[in-house]
Amino acid sequence: MDQIIQFNNVGKKYGNVVALNGMSFSVSQYEAVGLVGNNGCGKTSTINIMCNLIKYNNGEVIVFNKKVTPLNVSYKNKLGILISPPVFVDEFTPSQYLRFVCKFQHVDPKEISKRIGDVTTLFNIVSVDKIKIARLSAGEKMKVALAAAIIHNPEVLVFDEPFIHLDIHTIDLLTGLINTIRNNKTLFITSHNLDLIINVCSRFLIMEKGRIIDNILKEEGVTVDMIKTRIKEKITAGRSENRKPDWLS
Amino acid sequence: MASLLNTLKFIMAYFRVVSKYTLFLISTSWIIYLTDIKGDLYYFLSANVFFVNLVLIYFLTKGDKYLEKNRFYLLFNISDVNRFFSKSILFGIPFLMHFSLFLLVVTGIDYLLYLTLFSILIVIFSGRLILFNNVSKLISGIYIPAFTGLLLSAYFVSGVLTMIILSGLVVLSLVFIISRSLQLNKND
């Protein structure tokens, strides 16, 4: 199968802080890959580099067979990107915002109204035309961000923490949606919620200190609990037990 | 890459939402220059209106800074050049209105000096465009002072014909730079 995303020995530093340290992995077409790891291990940096939102310092990132450089941005229309924290134009209403997203993502102008109607109904986004995004709740904002990520029917879904702030109903809806479309889409997702990520992904990359330390495949005979235990073992290995402060009674 | 037209529509919608009253004020306050008030009050009012509008336009151009910071423009491939063009159209037209009326009607400068100052404005605008094309700061650094110096010296030592030829040259260079920018933009 074609490799859609390739990270070859990628390094990223923020000043003296190393975010990615020789990160290497690849994602094939129609694969659903979950990236898991502790806070600060470099998951968001990986997504941001993949989507050309930040520059990397060394190594090579190839997406759709083209090296990711500041000038190579054409591939981004093929991605459905949800970054963390999600990006909005706070002063717009959801429908205004989604309309411009459609225009920027080259959706057929005749289709725009239908698509906005479809995604807002799908995610049950209320007050589409009346309330500015700035005044929506965190969960509602997340729904708008998800709607914006899929509205142009992208080939690859790149989601950074898509489940946070969502209510149970929307989480079920999102996992159901991903499971429905995953045969025709490539999925790259990060999350701290192991149950949900195991539900939607077929392969798991475990990250620690800016690099991949394990690669787990969901295959026959491997149960969800086994995957979960293995992931937990890996990401908690070498961690000392956190002691409760004496004053906290 | 988001097209120039869509970027312009977005910039207009954005500024209409965030600062419609300021935009309205800027777009209409030039009427002050044409009022029939005589004496010092007229000059006082006009000068204030002009400078207040300059300041307002300057701050308005920075009004979308947070979209830059939250990476909205990066996420949707909205290029710096397209944003610059769009903002130039949105704010440039009312600015030119104020600039021209203030100089020609209020201060009553001669057309030659107006042409010189107008040409210098275009030189600065196109110099900024050169910078976007990543050519080099050096070229922009030479282009702006060289053309400005040429325009000023032409105004002080030469006649109308030289000035008109020079201003034409400036406009031509602007057209060239804009077409080059759009071409590069398209190739991206």
Side-chain angles (χ1 to χ4, degrees):
Chain A
M1 249 190 267
D2 291 344
Q3 291 192 332
I4 299 281
I5 301 161
Q6 289 176 66
F7 270 57
N8 299 324
N9 209 20
V10 176
K12 171 68 188 170
K13 274 185 179 178
Y14 298 100
N16 291 326
V17 180
V18 178
L20 297 186
N21 183 18
M23 178 87 165
S24 295
F25 68 90
S26 61
V27 178
S28 302
Q29 196 174 22
Y30 306 138
E31 231 191 336
V33 176
L35 184 65
V36 288
N38 291 311
N39 293 129
C41 70
K43 299 187 297 294
T44 296
S45 294
T46 305
I47 295 252
N48 286 344
I49 287 171
M50 194 183 287
C51 302
N52 214 339
L53 299 175
I54 55 172
K55 291 176 190 167
Y56 50 99
N57 299 114
N58 51 285
E60 191 181 48
V61 179
I62 298 168
V63 181
F64 286 104
N65 295 320
K66 278 189 180 170
K67 190 175 172 180
V68 173
T69 63
L71 290 176
N72 174 22
V73 290
S74 53
Y75 75 92
K76 278 165 71 179
N77 288 108
K78 296 178 185 171
L79 307 184
I81 303 169
L82 172 75
I83 57 169
S84 179
V87 166
F88 301 107
V89 181
D90 284 342
E91 292 78 8
F92 283 178
T93 61
S95 91
Q96 258 179 316
Y97 176 69
L98 291 172
R99 192 163 291 278
F100 275 108
V101 170
C102 286
K103 284 178 183 169
F104 292 144
Q105 300 287 24
H106 309 297
V107 173
D108 182 355
K110 291 174 200 157
E111 277 252 324
I112 291 177
S113 296
K114 183 185 178 314
R115 292 224 184 163
I116 292 172
D118 289 346
V119 289
T120 49
T121 310
L122 175 72
F123 288 110
N124 193 24
I125 300 170
V126 289
S127 314
V128 173
D129 288 315
K130 289 170 191 158
I131 300 179
K132 287 181 181 178
I133 292 174
R135 295 177 64 190
L136 295 176
S137 69
E140 289 284 315
K141 281 184 185 177
M142 190 50 118
K143 290 181 192 175
V144 176
L146 283 165
I150 64 162
I151 201 163
H152 57 296
N153 191 20
E155 289 179 38
V156 181
L157 300 174
V158 182
F159 290 171
D160 191 6
E161 299 288 354
F163 303 113
I164 49 170
H165 303 303
L166 294 181
D167 55 45
I168 298 165
H169 170 73
T170 314
I171 287 176
D172 282 348
L173 194 141
L174 182 62
T175 50
L177 179 75
I178 291 172
N179 281 323
T180 315
I181 61 176
R182 63 186 257 188
N183 289 339
N184 303 313
K185 304 264 182 234
T186 307
L187 175 69
F188 190 85
I189 189 169
T190 78
S191 177
H192 290 292
N193 191 322
L194 293 183
D195 288 316
L196 293 173
I197 206 167
I198 291 170
N199 183 358
V200 294
C201 293
S202 55
R203 186 158 69 94
F204 309 92
L205 301 171
I206 304 175
M207 238 186 132
E208 181 68 39
K209 291 181 184 163
R211 63 196 317 165
I212 303 293
I213 56 163
D214 203 359
N215 184 1
I216 303 170
L217 205 61
K218 195 200 262 182
E219 50 196 352
E220 252 181 72
V222 182
T223 63
V224 169
D225 282 340
M226 283 161 75
I227 296 171
K228 208 169 155 183
T229 311
R230 195 163 150 197
I231 292 174
K232 271 188 178 171
E233 273 171 10
K234 286 284 175 185
I235 59 179
T236 53
R239 298 217 155 217
S240 55
E241 201 178 317
N242 292 340
R243 270 185 45 214
K244 179 171 77 73
D246 300 336
W247 47 264
L248 190 62
S249 55
Chain B
M1 176 78 69
S3 68
L4 176 60
L5 184 65
N6 281 333
T7 310
L8 177 64
K9 282 181 189 169
F10 171 78
I11 290 285
M12 285 180 147
Y14 176 77
F15 282 101
R16 195 178 60 225
V17 171
V18 294
S19 42
K20 56 174 170 268
Y21 298 114
T22 319
L23 269 176
F24 178 75
L25 192 74
I26 291 170
S27 309
T28 52
S29 57
W30 54 266
I31 292 166
I32 293 283
Y33 308 132
L34 304 176
T35 52
D36 197 21
I37 312 166
K38 296 288 169 212
D40 289 343
L41 180 66
Y42 171 68
Y43 293 109
F44 176 79
L45 267 179
S46 302
N48 275 289
V49 166
F50 180 68
F51 288 109
V52 165
N53 275 298
L54 273 191
V55 173
L56 286 177
I57 288 171
Y58 174 76
F59 282 109
L60 273 186
T61 57
K62 307 280 174 198
D64 61 340
K65 252 310 185 240
Y66 96 92
L67 293 177
E68 227 171 278
K69 281 187 182 164
N70 75 4
R71 295 176 297 181
F72 173 82
Y73 289 134
L74 265 179
L75 193 63
F76 294 105
N77 299 334
I78 301 170
S79 74
D80 292 345
V81 181
N82 282 355
R83 272 161 47 211
F84 180 68
F85 273 132
S86 304
K87 285 201 243 176
S88 299
I89 292 167
L90 182 64
F91 302 124
I93 293 167
F95 169 73
L96 283 180
M97 219 44 199
H98 279 277
F99 178 80
S100 305
L101 285 173
F102 182 73
L103 290 185
L104 293 172
V105 178
V106 180
T107 65
I109 62 166
D110 66 289
Y111 284 96
L112 214 53
L113 181 57
Y114 169 74
L115 199 62
T116 309
L117 294 172
F118 189 78
S119 301
I120 290 171
L121 268 183
I122 294 177
V123 167
I124 293 168
F125 175 77
S126 44
R128 183 83 179 88
L129 272 177
I130 292 174
L131 268 179
F132 280 124
N133 286 344
N134 291 326
V135 180
S136 87
K137 286 185 178 171
L138 188 69
I139 293 178
S140 195
I142 295 168
Y143 173 82
I144 295 176
F147 254 118
T148 307
L150 203 62
L151 286 161
L152 286 175
S153 49
Y155 172 73
F156 286 116
V157 297
S158 296
V160 180
L161 191 65
T162 320
M163 263 314 301
I164 290 170
I165 291 170
L166 265 178
S167 300
L169 207 61
V170 168
V171 173
L172 274 178
S173 78
L174 178 72
V175 171
F176 172 74
I177 291 164
I178 289 178
S179 59
R180 185 101 182 89
S181 300
L182 291 176
Q183 187 66 41
L184 282 172
N185 220 348
K186 222 175 179 180
N187 292 343
D188 284 346

